[in-house]
């Protein structure tokens, strides 16, 4: 049976983007019922929603009364996603109002519910909206953080609807593995590959695309976590619901991760951090001459994962809180497990995800295989599959360690 999705559409200008979200659901084999608000129909009409979904569309509880839509739609759903979710709609949902078909559906749904807010920055930051968001999250609703960008008119700021593909990725993750242990948890994920400047043009880097780290961030959002993603040189759309901090070098990544980890429950170091950086960085482009080039001398970068492990050990001895769970990643080309075991002991993390890298392996590919080494348990083998699947298994293992 096709997964049954209810797409609620709030009355904001971003309603037109929900058409793309609907297309993503229907083309991937989901059975979608669109339930707009009355105001949403002022932006996108019934005919559009009906044509795209293949189903009759209404905002009223009085249409097709014999089918009891105000109860049945919610009861039969596997997922309800509201995009855009306006400040007014979230306020009504938080207070249990039921004055149209969508709010009735939200009251009767017993499946996972996702809200993708879209509004002006001042509305998102207002105390009333923040309280309503907190109430919804306490009830298990996934309210993704809005994106930063161009809003209605000339305004720019936080409040933009995340891209439909990113909302779809969160929803797909929830349908694959709803809930599961991260609701309300603060999670930090690093992703991508650092770059160490040689001069203003050249750098020392690596092949990491950030795909695995982004999959981890999306999966954490889907499980209800508050996610900070520290992204190093990644050309990917921001995961819906994650706060993204962009960095370039290992030093910048260290600063961002240590700052975010101060109040985190889980830190996952999935970024590929350069082990070395040039001792000196030329202030102008190094020119090619007939002479042999000057050698580039390197110095070690800080070991961020080992530092996190050491700081955690010291703070726990002093009774101060620090991440409950620390997860590292190790990319190896040979002696994979032996090198991984040595790193697990040296880094002080709880889990170490070890994967073999090389041509068409791990870096830049949509799939991955790994062995998760566990500080106080047996290794867990993860067969090759989508990076989203690996992310889900990692979070399952993390959830069992959270107190």
């Amino acid at each position: 049976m096709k997964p049954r999705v209810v797409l609620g559409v709030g009355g904001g200008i971003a309603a037109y983007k929900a058409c793309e979200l609907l297309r993503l659901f229907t083309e991937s084999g989901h059975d979608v019922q669109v339930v707009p608000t009355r105001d949403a129909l002022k932006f996108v009409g019934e005919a559009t929603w009906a044509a795209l979904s293949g189903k009759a569309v209404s905002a009223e509880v009085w249409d097709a009364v014999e089918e009891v839509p105000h109860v049945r739609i919610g009861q039969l759903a596997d997922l309800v996603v509201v995009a855009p979710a306006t400040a007014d709609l979230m306020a009504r949902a938080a207070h249990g109002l039921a004055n149209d078909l969508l709010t009735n559906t939200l009251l009767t749904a017993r499946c996972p519910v996702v809200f993708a807010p879209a509004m002006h920055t001042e509305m998102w930051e207002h105390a009333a909206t923040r309280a309503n968001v907190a109430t919804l999250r306490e009830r298990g609703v996934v309210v993704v953080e809005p994106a930063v960008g161009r809003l209605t008119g000339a305004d720019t700021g936080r409040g933009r609807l995340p891209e439909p593909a990113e909302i779809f990725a969160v929803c797909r993750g929830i349908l694959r593995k709803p809930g599961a242990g991260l609701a309300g948890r603060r999670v930090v994920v690093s992703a991508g590959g650092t770059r160490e400047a040689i001069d203003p043009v050249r750098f020392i880097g690596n092949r990491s695309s950030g795909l695995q780290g982004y999959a981890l961030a999306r999966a954490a959002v889907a499980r209800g976590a508050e996610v900070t993603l520290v992204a190093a040189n990644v050309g990917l759309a921001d995961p819906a619901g994650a706060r993204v901090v962009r960095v370039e070098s290992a030093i910048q990544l260290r600063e961002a991760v240590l700052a975010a980890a101060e109040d985190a429950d889980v830190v996952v170091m999935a970024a590929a951090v350069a082990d070395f950086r040039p001792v000196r960085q030329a202030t102008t482009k190094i020119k090619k001459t007939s002479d042999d080039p000057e050698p580039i001398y390197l110095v070690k970068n800080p070991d961020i994962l080992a530092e996190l492990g050491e700081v955690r050990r010291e703070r726990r001895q002093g009774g101060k809180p620090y991440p409950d769970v620390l997860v590292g990643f190790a990319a190896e080309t040979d002696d994979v497990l032996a090198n991984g075991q040595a790193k697990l002991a040296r880094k002080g993390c709880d889990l170490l995800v070890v994967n073999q890298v090389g041509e068409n392996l791990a870096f830049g590919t949509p799939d991955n295989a790994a062995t998760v080494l566990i500080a106080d348990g047996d290794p867990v083998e993860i067969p090759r599959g989508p990076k989203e699947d690996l992310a889900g298994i990692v979070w399952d293992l993390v959830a069992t360690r959270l107190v």
Side-chain angles (χ1 to χ4, degrees):
M1 181 181 294
K2 293 182 178 180
R4 292 166 295 197
V5 175
V6 174
L7 174 58
V9 185
I13 185 62
Y16 78 93
K17 289 187 175 181
C19 295
E20 174 65 12
L21 181 57
L22 173 57
R23 186 189 67 80
L24 290 170
F25 275 118
T26 55
E27 290 189 355
S28 58
H30 296 78
D31 180 356
V32 186
Q33 175 67 59
V34 180
V35 182
T37 64
R38 301 179 187 96
D39 287 340
L41 293 176
K42 296 179 180 179
F43 293 98
V44 180
E46 287 183 24
T48 299
W49 298 121
L52 292 175
S53 68
K55 293 187 176 184
V57 171
S58 175
E60 306 297 336
V61 297
W62 301 108
D63 291 340
V65 175
E66 71 282 1
E67 298 178 8
V68 201
H70 73 290
V71 173
R72 292 287 180 264
I73 293 175
Q75 286 179 334
L76 297 175
D78 296 307
L79 175 76
V80 177
V81 52
V82 182
T86 62
D88 173 75
L89 181 52
M90 288 195 296
R92 288 190 284 139
H95 290 83
L97 301 183
N99 55 354
D100 61 9
L101 186 57
L102 180 53
T103 48
N104 273 270
T105 298
L106 290 168
L107 281 178
T108 57
R110 294 298 180 266
C111 60
V113 176
V114 179
F115 279 82
M119 64 196 72
H120 267 66
T121 305
E122 294 84 355
M123 300 173 74
W124 174 250
E125 294 177 348
H126 194 282
T129 303
R130 304 311 301 160
N132 291 331
V133 169
T135 297
L136 291 168
R137 284 174 172 164
E138 287 171 4
R139 295 175 186 160
V141 174
V142 175
V143 182
V144 302
E145 292 290 312
V148 176
R150 183 69 179 269
L151 306 172
T152 306
D155 294 338
T156 298
R158 185 167 296 281
R160 181 182 175 90
L161 185 73
E163 291 304 310
E166 292 300 321
I167 299 172
F168 176 69
V170 170
C171 293
R172 187 173 55 183
I174 291 174
L175 285 168
R176 180 185 295 114
K177 186 77 174 182
L182 295 180
R185 298 289 189 169
R186 292 185 175 92
V187 167
V188 179
V189 178
S190 70
T194 62
R195 295 176 178 176
E196 311 304 323
I198 297 172
D199 62 19
V201 177
R202 305 172 182 91
F203 60 84
I204 298 172
N206 58 67
R207 299 180 185 275
S208 177
S209 63
L211 289 170
Q212 186 63 74
Y214 272 54
L216 284 156
R218 290 191 189 97
V221 170
R223 295 174 183 228
E226 180 181 324
V227 180
T228 297
L229 176 64
V230 182
N233 307 297
V234 176
L236 303 171
D238 291 352
R243 183 176 75 92
V244 179
V245 179
R246 299 195 177 279
V247 298
E248 181 171 342
S249 68
I251 297 297
Q252 292 171 348
L253 188 138
R254 174 186 175 273
E255 293 174 355
V257 169
L258 290 179
E262 282 294 326
D263 61 353
D265 298 299
V266 185
V267 176
V268 179
M269 284 293 298
V273 184
D275 293 321
F276 306 96
R277 69 181 185 276
V279 173
R280 296 184 184 86
Q281 298 176 13
T283 57
T284 59
K285 180 183 176 182
I286 300 172
K287 298 295 185 180
K288 182 170 62 176
T289 67
S290 58
D291 300 328
D292 290 336
E294 290 291 326
I296 297 173
Y297 295 99
L298 303 177
V299 64
K300 280 187 177 181
N301 271 323
D303 188 329
I304 304 169
L305 181 59
E307 185 175 356
L308 285 166
E310 180 61 23
V311 172
R312 182 173 70 156
R313 185 186 65 79
E314 293 175 354
R315 291 197 179 184
R316 282 183 170 175
Q317 289 178 347
K320 296 180 180 179
Y322 209 63
D324 290 323
V325 183
L326 181 59
V327 182
F329 271 68
E332 300 289 344
T333 58
D334 53 10
D335 296 329
V336 175
L337 291 184
N339 288 331
Q341 291 286 2
K343 284 187 177 180
L344 177 65
R346 191 169 66 248
K347 305 283 188 178
C349 52
D350 301 293
L351 309 175
L352 187 71
V353 184
V354 185
N355 48 213
Q356 186 169 7
V357 297
E359 188 174 354
N360 297 321
L361 289 176
F363 285 158
T365 65
D367 57 9
N368 204 354
T371 301
V372 182
L373 303 179
I374 302 175
D376 56 0
D378 297 326
V380 175
E381 294 289 339
I382 303 178
R384 184 161 304 282
K387 289 183 173 177
E388 291 81 4
D389 291 352
L390 187 148
I393 294 171
V394 169
W395 288 125
D396 287 344
L397 295 170
V398 167
T400 65
R401 308 181 73 88
L402 287 169
V403 295

